[in-house]
Amino acid sequence: MIDIASPLRLRLDSAALVDNWRWLGTAGGAEAGAAIKADGYGLGARAVMRHLAAAGCRHFFVATWAEAAALMPLPAGVSLSVLHGVGTEDLIAARTLPARPVLNSVEQVRRWRDGGEGRPCDVMVDTGMNRLGLRVEEARGGALDGLAIETLLSHLASADEDSAQNERQLAAFAAVRDAIPARRTSLANSAGICLGTDYGFDLTRPGLALYGGVPRREAEGAIRQVVFPETRVLQVRDVPAGEAVGYGATWTARCDSRIAVANIGYADGYLRCHVGTGGARFAGQALPLVGRVSMDLVAFDASGVDGLAEGDWLALDYDLVATSARCGLSQYELLTGLGNRFARHWS
Ligand SMILES: *Cc1c(COP(=O)(O)O)cnc(C)c1O
């Protein structure tokens, strides 16, 4: 087989990932699990699971059965929950794989009673978000009687804001917890952990903050960046003053310039919203993004940058908080958008 070098690089810091997980466990006052849906928010779910399981993380959450199947075989002593529950096409996977459905509706509960062969499950109760989950009245009205519930969950809608909805959901969940027998209870995501240990219950489910996202100011300074995307210079060219660069000729060189054309574009999750504020670094020197972002290419102004040549790697400006603030994408979108052309390198 021909060994083909990957055109883009995602440097991933496993020590930062594990430190973030440990901090979230302490801050939440509860055992921390890990949300690794969407391929570990774009980092690679299998590697994330391996690093966190080695550090002692025991409870993992994915969205779909396809995501669960891709993680087999699981590390020893680890449990995996599937947040979308069990639909009509999922029963065989749900009976066969060593993972549990998170049952989200009376319909799903009925399906699991009929087809789950008595296997354990998790249950999501909706405490006010109106996304997934049984309504509180349904959960308390006998719909769950006799089920072997491992984890009883609910999810916070506004934990990243100082909203009165947080306390209402907390109170609703505490009341449901008293009424429904389950081995453990779980409410908080990353932002919920920052609301304080009242929100911790038995198990927390951080995602974003594991991967370096800062969901609330309480996590500032504690959460470390994990993801460092790098793009490669395909060509360095001299652009005389007055000539334009890229589609639509949206940027014109004011003076004689050197332009580095690099191999990343919107197909890699580097979207057009970076225009005007995006940039990269080479050996400590800043290269502002110029012109439009193409599908697989971008141009950076490398005027005055010493020693830059074809084949060099540029570190993209990708601090999650700052990048989100300047380009308007959420920190979640900045992570999950990173595409398949990146080779993922863990340190
Ligand atoms: C995605 C998800 C999480 C993790 O949320 P973050 O905001 O990324 O920490 C936790 N619980 C559920 C139900 C989720 O869907």
Side-chain angles (χ1 to χ4, degrees), residues 28 154-156 159 173 186-196 199-201 203-207:
S154 190
H155 193 53
L156 296 164
F173 188 59
S186 174
L187 176 64
N189 62 345
S190 301
I193 287 169
C194 295
L195 293 175
Y199 288 79
F201 292 90
L203 175 69
T204 57
R205 309 184 305 272

Side-chain angles (χ1 to χ4, degrees), residues 34-327:
I36 58 170
K37 59 200 182 188
D39 201 21
Y41 288 44
L43 280 68
R46 185 175 269 285
V48 168
M49 179 184 247
R50 180 163 43 82
H51 288 299
L52 291 180
C57 182
R58 295 187 301 162
H59 298 281
F60 293 86
F61 297 85
V62 291
T64 69
W65 290 96
E67 290 181 348
L71 289 168
M72 301 298 146
L74 297 178
V78 149
S79 93
L80 183 62
S81 300
V82 178
L83 290 164
H84 289 186
V86 45
T88 45
E89 293 98 47
D90 299 326
L91 267 172
I92 292 177
R95 273 200 304 251
T96 325
L97 293 173
R100 297 191 298 271
V102 179
L103 304 179
N104 287 305
S105 63
V106 172
E107 195 61 48
Q108 290 196 351
V109 169
R110 194 173 305 131
R111 192 170 293 132
W112 194 242
R113 277 191 203 287
D114 293 346
E117 298 172 342
R119 286 167 49 116
C121 59
D122 295 348
V123 169
M124 174 70 76
V125 178
D126 187 275
T127 50
M129 185 177 193
N130 279 305
R131 197 174 65 168
L132 291 178
L134 281 81
R135 292 188 63 83
V136 167
E137 315 84 83
E138 293 169 336
R140 302 186 66 154
L144 302 172
D145 290 354
L147 278 185
I149 304 175
E150 284 283 314
T151 308
L152 183 71
L153 301 80
S154 190
H155 193 53
L156 296 164
S158 305
D160 54 350
E161 293 167 29
D162 293 329
S163 163
Q165 190 180 16
N166 295 325
E167 283 171 31
R168 286 199 300 272
Q169 287 198 263
L170 175 63
F173 188 59
V176 168
R177 190 256 315 249
D178 290 342
I180 311 282
R183 186 188 293 264
R184 69 183 80 75
T185 50
S186 174
L187 176 64
N189 62 345
S190 301
I193 287 169
C194 295
L195 293 175
T197 53
D198 286 354
Y199 288 79
F201 292 90
D202 301 318
L203 175 69
T204 57
R205 309 184 305 272
L208 180 72
L210 293 173
Y211 311 117
V214 179
R216 290 180 58 97
R217 61 191 177 282
E218 291 86 348
E220 271 169 24
I223 292 297
R224 287 165 57 195
Q225 189 163 344
V226 178
V227 175
F228 303 87
E230 295 181 351
T231 177
R232 209 159 187 201
V233 176
L234 295 176
Q235 191 173 12
V236 181
R237 58 192 305 130
D238 293 317
V239 176
E243 290 196 14
V245 171
Y247 279 124
T250 59
W251 185 85
T252 301
R254 262 189 254 145
C255 52
D256 291 351
S257 301
R258 299 210 81 200
I259 296 297
V261 178
N263 64 352
I264 192 169
Y266 55 78
D268 305 298
Y270 194 72
L271 304 187
R272 288 195 169 180
C273 57
H274 293 288
V275 170
T277 61
R281 300 205 146 247
F282 176 74
Q285 305 165 91
L287 290 81
L289 174 67
V290 297
R292 284 209 186 130
V293 175
S294 301
M295 187 182 295
D296 332 286
L297 295 168
V298 288
F300 295 103
D301 185 356
S303 306
V305 171
D306 295 330
L308 187 70
E310 175 187 337
D312 282 338
W313 289 94
L314 306 177
L316 278 187
D317 293 347
Y318 220 72
D319 173 88
L320 292 177
V321 174
T323 307
S324 171
R326 67 171 168 72
C327 81

